[in-house]
Amino acid sequence: MNYNDLIERLSDRTGQSKVKTKEILGDALDVLTEQLTNGKGVSIPELGTFSTKMNDQKKVYNPHYEAYIIVPQKRVVDFTPAAGLKEKVKFLEQDNE
Amino acid sequence: MSEKITFKELVELIAEQSKQSQNAANSFIHELVQIIESGLKKSGSVSISGFGKFELRWMNERAGVHPQTGEEITIPGQNKVVFKPYKALREEVNKPFANLKSRLIRENIPGASAPLPEPAPDDVSVEEKDPKDVPFGVPGIEKSSKKNLPPIDELLIERDKPTSAAAMESALPEEDKAAATVPAMVPTQAKVVKEVQESGGFKWTYAAAVVIALAAFIILFYLMQRTTNGGETLTTSDQQTEQQVLTPLVPAIEPEGEEPATETEGPPDDGIPDSEESPPPAETEAAQDDAPAVQTEFETETLTVEAGQSLWTIAQTELGNPYLWPLLYHLNGDIMANPNQLPAAADLEIPQISDPEALNSFEREQVAHGYFSLYEWTAENNPDEARYFLWAVGVFSPEMLDTPPSEVDPDDLAFARNR
């Protein structure tokens, strides 16, 4: 399901126009992103927990330069699906995208 | 773990941001969650533009151990929900650490290696002060950073030779941030460049980098003196005034002010940068220090020309200095013969330069090439004006005047040299 499908169904469910839905979704994601940027995690019921974690710096081999490269530490988004969601999709038969 | 805000706080913030009631925001999120869930069930993936993508990933069955009883069980294949953040979100979240760059570790060239000397005792103590900074390897086994300084004269002679080592060191993902560039190491020298990064944490990479940068400054200083003593018409002071006069046109040809400073900084071994208490200086040093990478080509981006744009304006917006526009002409010579006519909707290659105020030697050379291409074109079409471009070549790369890539008019050359 792509972004357009998502907006379409969301606007169906909330009864708002697609444009408006897009705006609200954008606002919601901005808030979420801002919290993550500040290093704060958020649990969303029935979906999961967004949080951030630090990846240590690591040494990787770059075959192009035939040398090792130190990739610096970085902060990444960590998502843990909620238990409910996990169970619901666990044994779902999946064809494809 | 990181702190969290509650879902209620999140809903409040969203309600505030989108100027609606908390109830509305709350139900909006619930609808969103349900749609994501049904989307996952139906098609296995839900993509939210600018944010990320939820996906189901099938995990094959595997052997495992029951956590309580310890008996061996087979964990059946199952779906896992994964969230893949898109670039915008990744970059946003990593913002506080975005200034950290990857760096290349040079390894010993097999067969040409010299035995590594033991580190000086004080090195060890510095190293062990903060073992957390040394995530890789054992602290204190890298060699004294002094070893990283190849003899200056050798470097001067060797720097123009293309070597495989140069290729290896070239074009790191990291950009040269400094005007100073260390010349390419030839294989015989590479043996002494067992890098401190290999087992060092930040401090050691900085230390090595600072040492290399110091070497580069000194080399440049010698190089300048050498050219002036070598029968050039300009004296050192003349050259300096010359360059000061040129500064509006030429961004920081040579960071003049810094050279005396580097010499008074003492032996390179003292150049160990401060630890984390003062990150900003450490960063500036690091910035200078991506220098060991000798660039041989630009990373480029493609830009489609729009109405009203000229190479001049593109250079101003993309490169940060309009006077660098010949670089664009040079790189895109295949799509435009006449530098004054930019084809509509053409796709230009835009080089990624590190700092328009302090070009590294490769970038300067490329700009000089650009001015030289202009000189060639102008010499054919408007011979009276051509010499000014040749002069600009000399401004960016005096060496190129000594060995011009093709035939130049002797009068123009004299003009370019003496102006």
Side-chain angles (χ1 to χ4, degrees):
Chain A
M1 186 161 77
N2 63 28
Y3 186 61
N4 284 337
D5 300 337
L6 179 79
I7 295 292
E8 204 169 315
R9 298 182 61 177
L10 205 50
S11 72
D12 276 357
R13 298 274 282 263
T14 57
Q16 268 161 332
S17 72
K18 282 186 198 169
V19 177
K20 182 78 183 148
T21 310
K22 248 184 207 174
E23 269 173 30
I24 300 175
L25 181 61
D27 287 338
L29 295 179
D30 281 350
V31 170
L32 189 51
T33 306
E34 193 190 324
Q35 295 306 319
L36 291 173
T37 308
N38 295 336
K40 297 197 173 154
V42 188
S43 281
I44 299 177
E46 294 169 52
L47 182 66
T49 305
F50 290 93
S51 59
T52 60
K53 63 174 184 185
M54 289 303 302
N55 276 1
D56 265 353
Q57 62 169 331
K58 59 192 170 185
K59 197 165 130 184
V60 298
Y61 184 70
N62 183 323
H64 184 246
Y65 300 125
E66 299 182 348
Y68 285 91
I69 284 178
I70 289 185
V71 177
Q73 55 176 339
K74 62 178 170 187
R75 193 161 72 178
V76 294
V77 180
D78 191 26
F79 173 72
T80 315
L85 177 64
K86 228 157 122 184
E87 290 304 320
K88 279 181 197 161
V89 298
K90 203 167 181 178
F91 297 119
L92 220 57
E93 278 305 314
Q94 207 57 66
D95 313 329
N96 49 23
E97 299 273 297
Chain B
M1 297 304 287
S2 58
E3 317 161 48
K4 281 187 178 173
I5 63 166
T6 61
F7 181 61
K8 194 158 168 285
E9 285 170 317
L10 180 77
V11 168
E12 278 166 16
L13 287 168
I14 291 173
E16 194 181 318
Q17 171 102 7
S18 58
K19 299 184 187 65
Q20 52 179 349
S21 70
Q22 285 187 27
N23 267 343
N26 193 4
S27 66
F28 182 87
I29 297 292
H30 279 294
E31 295 296 345
L32 176 64
V33 168
Q34 275 173 30
I35 289 170
I36 291 174
E37 187 185 315
S38 71
L40 279 177
K41 282 181 180 164
K42 221 153 109 195
S43 64
S45 80
V46 179
S47 164
I48 305 178
S49 138
F51 188 64
K53 184 179 181 183
F54 295 91
E55 248 180 345
L56 288 187
R57 198 170 290 168
W58 180 254
M59 312 305 289
N60 280 330
E61 70 167 33
R62 60 197 163 95
V65 174
H66 194 285
Q68 263 118 51
T69 62
E71 78 188 288
E72 285 179 18
I73 51 171
T74 307
I75 299 171
Q78 55 186 274
N79 282 314
K80 198 172 91 170
V81 182
V82 291
F83 173 68
K84 282 202 319 214
Y86 287 154
K87 201 176 178 199
L89 178 59
R90 283 203 307 266
E91 280 174 0
E92 192 66 28
V93 166
N94 193 40
K95 233 178 201 169
F97 306 93
N99 52 358
L100 302 176
K101 294 275 187 278
S102 306
R103 46 180 56 249
L104 192 78
I105 310 170
R106 261 168 270 128
E107 300 287 322
N108 260 358
I109 307 268
S113 61
L116 307 183
E118 287 296 309
D122 54 335
D123 286 353
V124 177
S125 64
V126 173
E127 190 76 63
E128 286 173 352
K129 257 188 208 163
D130 207 349
K132 277 184 185 166
D133 279 345
V134 192
F136 308 120
V138 191
I141 59 159
E142 62 280 318
K143 50 198 301 182
S144 148
S145 35
K146 213 171 193 171
K147 268 293 187 186
N148 291 328
L149 286 172
I152 286 161
D153 284 339
E154 252 178 273
L155 277 178
L156 286 177
I157 297 158
E158 305 280 10
R159 75 183 295 176
D160 292 327
K161 293 186 187 171
T163 65
S164 60
M168 188 186 84
E169 292 172 1
S170 67
L172 295 192
E174 69 209 20
E175 291 290 331
D176 270 6
K177 285 252 170 76
T181 320
V182 165
M185 308 281 176
V186 292
T188 51
Q189 289 162 346
K191 72 187 175 192
V192 294
V193 204
K194 170 76 174 180
E195 262 298 356
V196 286
Q197 283 102 320
E198 188 178 9
S199 54
F202 282 124
K203 289 199 296 193
W204 279 97
T205 56
Y206 289 156
V210 165
V211 166
I212 291 167
L214 286 178
F217 277 125
I218 294 166
I219 289 164
L220 284 170
F221 187 70
Y222 275 107
L223 188 67
M224 216 171 69
Q225 289 219 319
R226 188 176 274 214
T227 42
T228 41
N229 297 340
E232 293 280 339
T233 46
L234 297 173
T235 68
T236 309
S237 60
D238 278 345
Q239 210 174 19
Q240 284 176 355
T241 29
E242 189 77 22
Q243 285 170 355
Q244 278 156 12
V245 172
L246 294 175
T247 22
L249 169 62
V250 187
I253 288 209
E254 203 72 302
E256 298 273 348
E258 288 192 62
E259 274 161 18
T262 50
E263 298 210 328
T264 53
E265 260 178 44
D269 271 344
D270 294 341
I272 296 165
D274 320 324
S275 44
E276 285 95 350
E277 297 95 65
S278 54
E283 268 153 33
T284 7
E285 277 157 347
Q288 289 182 356
D289 286 341
D290 297 45
V294 172
Q295 254 181 322
T296 55
E297 59 184 41
F298 283 112
E299 277 182 26
T300 56
E301 266 174 21
T302 308
L303 178 105
T304 306
V305 178
E306 288 163 19
Q309 281 187 319
S310 66
L311 285 185
W312 174 271
T313 59
I314 294 171
Q316 189 160 25
T317 50
E318 300 295 326
L319 304 180
N321 182 346
Y323 287 102
L324 299 182
W325 72 271
L327 184 55
L328 301 177
Y329 174 60
H330 179 56
L331 286 178
N332 297 285
D334 47 346
I335 59 168
M336 52 188 302
N338 182 341
N340 303 320
Q341 287 176 358
L342 189 53
D347 285 333
L348 287 184
E349 299 240 299
I350 307 295
Q352 303 298 297
I353 62 171
S354 42
D355 181 357
E357 300 301 323
L359 300 176
N360 65 35
S361 65
F362 169 72
E363 287 160 352
R364 278 209 303 277
E365 189 185 308
Q366 290 299 303
V367 176
H369 269 295
Y371 273 110
F372 194 84
S373 313
L374 274 174
Y375 166 75
E376 287 178 309
W377 186 85
T378 321
E380 275 176 26
N381 298 283
N382 189 2
D384 291 341
E385 302 292 334
R387 55 185 187 162
Y388 295 104
F389 291 118
L390 193 60
W391 164 71
V393 171
V395 169
F396 280 93
S397 169
E399 299 92 321
M400 199 175 284
L401 287 183
D402 298 329
T403 53
S406 72
E407 220 32 61
V408 297
D409 189 293
D411 291 343
D412 291 349
L413 194 58
F415 171 85
R417 282 216 168 114
N418 295 322
R419 187 182 152 107

